[in-house]
Amino acid sequence: MDKVIHFSGGSPSINGSQHRASAFAGEGSRLSDLLHLLSSTEAPGLAALVDEPILSRRLHEGDTLFHEGARADAIYFVRSGSFKTFCTAEDGYEQVLGFVGRAEVLGFDALCTNRHPNSAVAMEDSSVFGVPVRDLSALGRRVPAFDHALVLAVSRELAHRGDLANVMAAVAAEVRLARFLVQWSTRMAARGQSPRRFVLRMSRREMASHLGVAHETVSRGFRVLANAALVKVCNREVEILDMDGLKAFSCSTRRPIDEDAAASAGHSQHAALWSGAPATRHAEAA
Amino acid sequence: MDKVIHFSGGSPSINGSQHRASAFAGEGSRLSDLLHLLSSTEAPGLAALVDEPILSRRLHEGDTLFHEGARADAIYFVRSGSFKTFCTAEDGYEQVLGFVGRAEVLGFDALCTNRHPNSAVAMEDSSVFGVPVRDLSALGRRVPAFDHALVLAVSRELAHRGDLANVMAAVAAEVRLARFLVQWSTRMAARGQSPRRFVLRMSRREMASHLGVAHETVSRGFRVLANAALVKVCNREVEILDMDGLKAFSCSTRRPIDEDAAASAGHSQHAALWSGAPATRHAEAA
DNA sequence: CGATCGTTTGACGGTGCTCAATCACCGTGG
DNA sequence: CCACGGTGATTGAGCACCGTCAAACGATCG
């Protein structure tokens, strides 16, 4: 059964709107709606072919689209809103894998095992299209535009998870945060929204899980970046003041293989960033 | 140094051993070979349909299949051998994203941008099948078996990168290593090889990059795991002595919610592991 | 207003990163 | 055969960064 059960992650839910049954195949959406969502370039002449009903579903903030371990009945495309995907450890710790937004795909990694390796929860009121796995190949064959869009969406998702590794690989916590902000900025730009000013809908704790640090460290990281005048932070609103500086700062890696490369000062305007803090990190080249 | 061997016969190969029938369309590989590689369940009756030539290529250890930033001409399937995929930072630091083995897909994350976001290098003498991106959709439509196998392979790759996040998310370095070993063991089992005894072909440094730690820490981590009698390590050969113990240990997330759980003799034989002393294996029973 | 959750800030202790030396292994060439 | 350099793996020492614990602060809601 695909009933949405609220996870008691240690907090008894105060959200009464949980058990409001959201029917799967509601509101008579059409396949053309999905194609329109996925392809920025409108493919004309297909209206007749693709004007068939399609599954869609609405979720409220906090609703679970699918649970970790659940059978993979369908894959989903985010129509509006946003989701977080995460794994839950035995002790209840949530490892956030990613944040999924409009026109992106959800649940594709379940196809290889027929079980979802992670859960997906709406971070705000959202809606999705669903494509049953058994219809997937047939649909792709019948509608090349869908097939192409699917490949693109999955490829993008794969790339996102590659980026995640790059984020979590950074040594310093502030660098992880900086990389995350740069990536988010890029995604916002790709979505046609402002890359300099945006709202991070996830909580500090979710962000921290995604970055692989403690949530207190995220707060401290924001403070460091703000003190360096790279960003301005007000609650969950973020404004990037110095994009180049932020990018330069986010390039800091582990001990460089080539020591000389570090010596060439190049553009190390972020040296001031470290020195500003109470403790000077690894005495900087004078 | 890293000589890139190009596919098409148009480019003069740098590698001398290339010109002998291992150019792009060399050695008369057939599409049926690729299908046989990808599908464990043999799909019969397609022989005639799929008996057409297909691109294939051989690489020696250290050869680059594609470079980060290169145009995405094709996606690849590993026929034999194994590869590492990695991003190179400006300072030369290599962030290893994953290790790709037989029947797995390479380069799919390049489709969304037409540029490879990472490089792929053979970790041993290897061979791959290649499918040009422009033929991808047509091939999938013509040969459903291929389409299905592609979906499966990509889904698996996506799941692998999800696992990567779980590995890198672990706080303790030894736990990351343990998780990595468990995952590798699972992959070896899926490949039909021994899940208890295998050879890790990557260097300590590559492993460290993949885990997000310093390479010295990997050495120390192996030592800890060996002292706990969970594994036996000889250079790059690994033997898992206590699979259950290793899995239990790899479940440790960031600071267990309750310290008491560690004290409770229940399922925490690894409590002794932290103590540092060469612990007697199943010490705690009473 | 009280309650609850999210966020911030402080203090402390531990872990892993850095630096560095040593050993093991390998192919080369004397 | 051993000397030689080169690479990779291991081990040690020091200390700074971050995770943990704790408390104060702010926001939202009923």
Side-chain angles (χ1 to χ4, degrees):
Chain A
M1 300 306 290
D2 205 34
K3 184 173 296 184
V4 173
I5 313 163
H6 185 65
F7 244 154
S8 61
S11 61
S13 172
I14 56 172
N15 199 343
S17 65
Q18 280 293 323
H19 56 281
R20 176 198 181 106
S22 46
F24 198 136
E27 53 198 282
S29 298
R30 307 277 167 172
L31 178 52
S32 55
D33 297 330
L34 172 55
L35 291 180
H36 180 259
L37 168 69
L38 293 182
S39 57
S40 49
T41 70
E42 188 65 37
L46 289 172
L49 239 171
V50 299
D51 207 14
E52 56 188 85
I54 189 178
L55 306 173
S56 80
R57 176 172 160 192
R58 285 198 184 164
L59 300 94
H60 295 86
E61 179 175 344
D63 284 350
T64 298
L65 180 57
F66 52 78
H67 269 123
E68 183 178 350
R71 274 213 6 252
D73 301 314
I75 67 172
Y76 304 94
F77 298 90
V78 178
R79 183 185 198 177
S80 66
S82 56
F83 291 78
K84 65 165 176 175
T85 58
F86 60 93
C87 302
T88 307
E90 298 177 356
D91 58 7
Y93 178 77
E94 286 184 2
Q95 175 56 45
V96 174
L97 290 182
F99 304 105
V100 182
R102 178 181 159 87
E104 296 183 322
V105 69
L106 270 169
F108 195 87
D109 50 359
L111 296 181
C112 59
T113 58
N114 280 322
R115 296 279 172 182
H116 286 287
N118 46 60
S119 307
V121 167
M123 299 202 304
E124 55 190 314
D125 287 9
S126 307
S127 60
V128 297
F129 290 119
V131 177
V133 289
R134 64 176 175 279
D135 301 343
L136 197 57
S137 59
L139 183 58
R141 224 170 305 123
R142 251 177 40 232
V143 186
F146 170 75
D147 194 56
H148 187 246
L150 175 63
V151 164
L152 240 63
V154 173
S155 175
R156 206 177 296 124
E157 193 62 16
L158 202 55
H160 279 161
R161 294 207 174 171
D163 295 338
L164 173 57
N166 280 320
V167 167
M168 297 181 62
V171 263
E174 308 90 57
V175 176
R176 299 192 193 199
L177 184 56
R179 291 187 186 183
F180 173 71
L181 291 177
V182 170
Q183 281 180 20
W184 199 262
S185 170
T186 304
R187 286 179 69 172
M188 293 303 284
R191 205 181 299 180
Q193 305 185 37
S194 169
R196 319 198 76 96
R197 226 179 125 72
F198 43 81
V199 177
L200 297 172
R201 286 208 176 67
M202 69 289 302
S203 72
R204 291 286 190 269
R205 186 179 302 271
E206 291 164 336
M207 218 182 300
S209 172
H210 186 245
L211 302 180
V213 298
H215 70 278
E216 298 96 326
T217 306
V218 174
S219 281
R220 285 185 250 266
F222 270 128
R223 207 162 92 72
V224 171
L225 262 47
N227 282 343
L230 294 178
V231 301
K232 195 154 79 78
V233 181
C234 180
N235 286 326
R236 298 188 179 183
E237 293 180 17
V238 174
E239 181 177 1
I240 299 181
L241 299 176
D242 181 2
M243 183 68 78
D244 293 333
L246 190 65
K247 283 181 180 173
F249 177 64
S250 68
C251 283
S252 312
T253 62
R254 310 179 168 260
R255 177 184 47 177
I257 308 290
D258 186 357
E259 299 292 339
D260 306 328
S264 67
H267 41 286
S268 62
Q269 52 198 4
H270 59 276
L273 197 155
W274 299 113
S275 61
T280 57
R281 189 182 290 219
H282 294 173
E284 189 63 27
Chain B
M1 284 300 276
D2 50 3
K3 51 211 169 195
V4 180
I5 308 159
H6 292 93
F7 257 110
S8 53
S11 64
S13 175
I14 310 173
N15 195 324
S17 67
Q18 279 294 315
H19 64 74
R20 192 204 180 299
S22 75
F24 199 148
E27 53 198 277
S29 298
R30 306 276 169 173
L31 180 52
S32 56
D33 297 329
L34 173 56
L35 291 180
H36 179 259
L37 169 69
L38 293 182
S39 58
S40 49
T41 70
E42 188 65 35
L46 289 173
L49 239 170
V50 299
D51 206 14
E52 57 188 86
I54 189 178
L55 308 174
S56 82
R57 175 172 160 191
R58 284 195 186 167
L59 300 93
H60 296 87
E61 178 175 346
D63 283 349
T64 299
L65 180 58
F66 52 78
H67 268 124
E68 183 179 349
R71 275 212 7 250
D73 300 314
I75 68 170
Y76 305 95
F77 298 91
V78 178
R79 183 186 199 176
S80 66
S82 55
F83 291 78
K84 67 165 176 174
T85 57
F86 60 94
C87 303
T88 307
E90 298 177 358
D91 57 10
Y93 178 77
E94 286 184 3
Q95 175 57 44
V96 174
L97 290 181
F99 303 106
V100 181
R102 179 181 158 85
E104 297 183 323
V105 69
L106 269 170
F108 195 87
D109 50 359
L111 296 182
C112 59
T113 58
N114 279 321
R115 295 279 171 182
H116 286 287
N118 47 60
S119 307
V121 168
M123 298 202 302
E124 55 190 315
D125 287 9
S126 308
S127 60
V128 297
F129 290 119
V131 176
V133 289
R134 63 176 176 279
D135 301 344
L136 197 57
S137 60
L139 182 59
R141 224 170 304 124
R142 253 176 40 230
V143 186
F146 169 76
D147 194 57
H148 187 245
L150 174 64
V151 164
L152 239 63
V154 173
S155 174
R156 206 176 296 124
E157 192 63 17
L158 202 56
H160 279 161
R161 295 208 173 169
D163 295 337
L164 173 58
N166 281 320
V167 168
M168 297 183 62
V171 263
E174 308 89 62
V175 176
R176 300 191 193 199
L177 185 56
R179 291 187 186 182
F180 173 71
L181 291 177
V182 169
Q183 282 180 20
W184 199 261
S185 170
T186 304
R187 287 179 68 172
M188 294 302 286
R191 206 181 301 179
Q193 305 186 37
S194 170
R196 319 198 77 96
R197 223 179 126 74
F198 44 80
V199 177
L200 297 173
R201 286 206 175 70
M202 69 290 300
S203 71
R204 290 286 190 270
R205 187 178 296 270
E206 291 165 337
M207 216 182 300
S209 172
H210 186 245
L211 301 179
V213 298
H215 71 278
E216 299 96 326
T217 306
V218 174
S219 281
R220 286 185 247 266
F222 270 128
R223 188 171 222 317
V224 171
L225 263 47
N227 282 343
L230 294 177
V231 301
K232 194 153 80 76
V233 181
C234 182
N235 287 327
R236 299 187 180 184
E237 293 179 19
V238 175
E239 182 177 2
I240 298 180
L241 300 176
D242 181 3
M243 183 67 80
D244 293 333
L246 189 65
K247 284 181 179 171
F249 177 65
S250 68
C251 283
S252 312
T253 60
R254 41 191 75 226
R255 280 303 163 257
I257 308 295
D258 51 353
E259 297 291 337
D260 308 330
S264 71
H267 49 285
S268 65
Q269 51 196 358
H270 60 272
L273 197 153
W274 297 111
S275 65
T280 57
R281 196 165 146 211
H282 294 127
E284 191 61 31

